[in-house]
């Protein structure tokens, strides 16, 4: 294997790793957002966990995170608007990335 082939393979491995980490961070962020919203809705325990799973599933409706924002905004009608949800999501994305890095 030539040096070029080794570098290409290393780049492909890094790209795959970064993509996986990004996916995991987004899913974790959506879970945290779901738990936050569940708390605002007065849900706890299993009910809150189920709601968080529904928020994670909502992310598969379309590319990007607006599908999640829309779902949570609809569910939280009157308790939080879309801008507040986007701000909370941005805050939770940083937290989610930190959690994943600490897990190794």
């Amino acid at each position: 294997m030539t040096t070029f082939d080794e570098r290409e393979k290393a780049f492909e491995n890094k790209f795959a790793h970064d993509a996986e980490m990004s996916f995991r961070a987004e899913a974790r962020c959506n879970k945290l957002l779901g738990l936050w919203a569940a708390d605002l809705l007065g849900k706890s325990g299993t009910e809150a966990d189920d709601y968080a799973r529904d928020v994670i599933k909502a992310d598969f409706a379309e590319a990007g995170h607006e599908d999640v924002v829309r779902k949570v905004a609809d569910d939280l009608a009157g308790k939080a608007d879309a801008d507040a949800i986007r701000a909370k999501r941005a805050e939770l994305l940083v937290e989610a990335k930190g959690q994943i890095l600490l897990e190794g």
Side-chain angles (χ1 to χ4, degrees):
M1 186 178 275
T2 67
T3 302
F4 178 77
D5 292 335
E6 291 171 0
R7 289 179 65 194
E8 181 180 25
K9 182 73 171 163
F11 180 76
E12 289 171 357
N13 288 339
K14 181 180 181 340
F15 181 83
H17 177 264
D18 290 350
E20 178 185 352
M21 295 302 283
S22 178
F23 176 81
R24 289 178 59 204
E26 290 288 330
R28 177 75 56 95
C29 175
N30 290 335
K31 178 182 178 183
L32 294 172
L33 184 67
L35 292 173
W36 170 78
D39 185 53
L40 291 177
L41 293 168
K43 299 176 188 249
S44 62
T46 305
E47 195 175 34
D49 291 337
D50 290 344
Y51 181 78
R53 273 191 288 282
D54 289 342
V55 172
I56 293 168
K57 290 177 189 174
D59 194 25
F60 296 110
E62 62 187 48
H65 60 270
E66 283 303 307
D67 44 359
V68 171
V69 172
R70 205 170 24 258
K71 183 213 180 342
V72 174
D74 288 347
D75 294 344
L76 291 178
K79 296 182 181 181
D81 65 6
D83 289 334
I85 293 165
R86 283 184 197 95
K88 186 66 175 178
R89 188 184 178 288
E91 175 187 321
L92 292 172
L93 183 58
V94 172
E95 182 178 334
K97 289 178 180 180
Q99 288 178 2
I100 289 172
L101 287 175
L102 288 175
E103 290 173 1

